[in-house]
Amino acid sequence: MADNHTYKFNVSMSCGGCSGAVDRVLKKLDGIESYDVSLEKQEATVIAKPELDYETVLKTIKKTGKKVNSGEVDGVSRSIELPTEVSAAA
């Protein structure tokens, strides 16, 4: 019924370990059809099933501690700010 979404993030990654960290968290995320992490392009591209939302993918990449510089959904720029919520992991 609904189509997959393409989420693209510009992520600051300085080495293979950085891109590897992003790769590892995306590998564990449910709802991903496919993904590509490019150290050369400083980019993570995710093809997501309709039920996986942009904010979940963004939050997952940010958990690595890497700086997300920009994001887009299906070619349209989106905010990289996550809604503020009370953090239980403090």
Side-chain angles (χ1 to χ4, degrees), residues 14-90:
S14 57
C15 66
C18 297
S19 58
V22 175
D23 182 82
R24 280 190 298 280
V25 296
L26 290 177
K27 193 183 307 182
K28 296 177 185 169
L29 194 58
D30 287 333
I32 290 183
E33 199 65 39
S34 65
Y35 67 91
D36 179 60
V37 179
S38 171
L39 179 60
E40 294 79 27
K41 293 187 203 168
Q42 300 285 294
E43 201 170 77
T45 304
V46 176
I47 309 298
K49 295 177 182 170
E51 64 271 15
L52 180 60
D53 65 22
Y54 171 83
E55 285 75 20
T56 301
V57 180
L58 176 61
K59 196 181 304 181
T60 300
I61 293 173
K62 283 190 169 195
K63 276 185 197 170
T64 64
K66 305 296 163 231
K67 181 174 178 4
V68 178
N69 301 302
S70 65
E72 62 181 54
V73 176
D74 301 326
V76 179
S77 289
R78 286 283 293 271
S79 171
I80 54 167
E81 297 303 315
L82 290 168
T84 51
E85 52 189 59
V86 178
S87 176

